[in-house]
Amino acid sequence: MKVLEIVKLLEGKIVTSSQAMDRQIDAAFSSDLMSDVLTLNDFQNVALITGLANIQTIRTVEMAGIYFVILVRGKKASDEMIELAEENETIIIETAYSAFRTSALIYNSGVKSLY
């Protein structure tokens, strides 16, 4: 599923200025524990769904090779988060939906779950 399709589905907002909005998201993972995110191996085109809106989230996805972050529950990315995400070509999407609803909508639209 394309990033812009997910934004529309989630009634979300892209807060980074990355030029890669046509990129594909094939799988998603929901977690607020960054240690769990670091256990992921060899997955491409994965989105992290999380309510953890701090700089550590962006540092973690950078180490894990994840380029899509969906912030749920109305959480807002800080300027520092956005700056680091843009340096790493990571797209941040904000949505008011819960992690559960976000996961269900994305899954029902054909995006695979990692587990």
Side-chain angles (χ1 to χ4, degrees):
M1 182 170 227
K2 300 282 186 186
V3 171
L4 290 176
E5 294 172 313
I6 288 179
V7 171
K8 184 177 178 182
L9 179 71
L10 299 177
E11 298 181 24
K13 175 183 172 187
I14 298 171
V15 296
T16 50
S17 61
S18 175
Q19 299 299 315
M21 301 304 172
D22 63 338
R23 292 197 314 206
Q24 184 78 16
I25 295 176
D26 297 324
F29 178 75
S30 182
S31 182
D32 287 343
L33 295 172
M34 295 301 105
S35 57
D36 285 351
V37 176
L38 290 173
T39 65
L40 303 176
N41 291 343
D42 301 322
F43 293 107
Q44 294 185 346
N45 302 326
V46 172
L48 170 64
I49 301 165
T50 187
L52 189 62
N54 65 39
I55 195 69
Q56 286 308 115
T57 301
I58 305 305
R59 293 188 197 285
T60 301
V61 297
E62 178 185 10
M63 287 189 291
I66 296 172
Y67 297 98
F68 311 100
V69 175
I70 301 171
L71 295 177
V72 296
R73 300 189 308 270
K75 300 292 178 97
K76 302 292 182 195
S78 68
D79 292 339
E80 185 181 29
M81 286 177 69
I82 294 169
E83 182 179 331
L84 184 58
E86 288 179 346
E87 287 176 18
N88 297 308
E89 297 184 4
T90 300
I91 295 170
I92 300 175
I93 300 167
E94 296 173 345
T95 183
Y97 293 165
S98 68
F100 183 78
R101 183 173 182 184
T102 297
S103 298
L105 287 169
I106 291 174
Y107 181 79
N108 287 332
S109 294
V111 174
K112 297 176 190 170
S113 171
L114 289 184
Y115 299 103

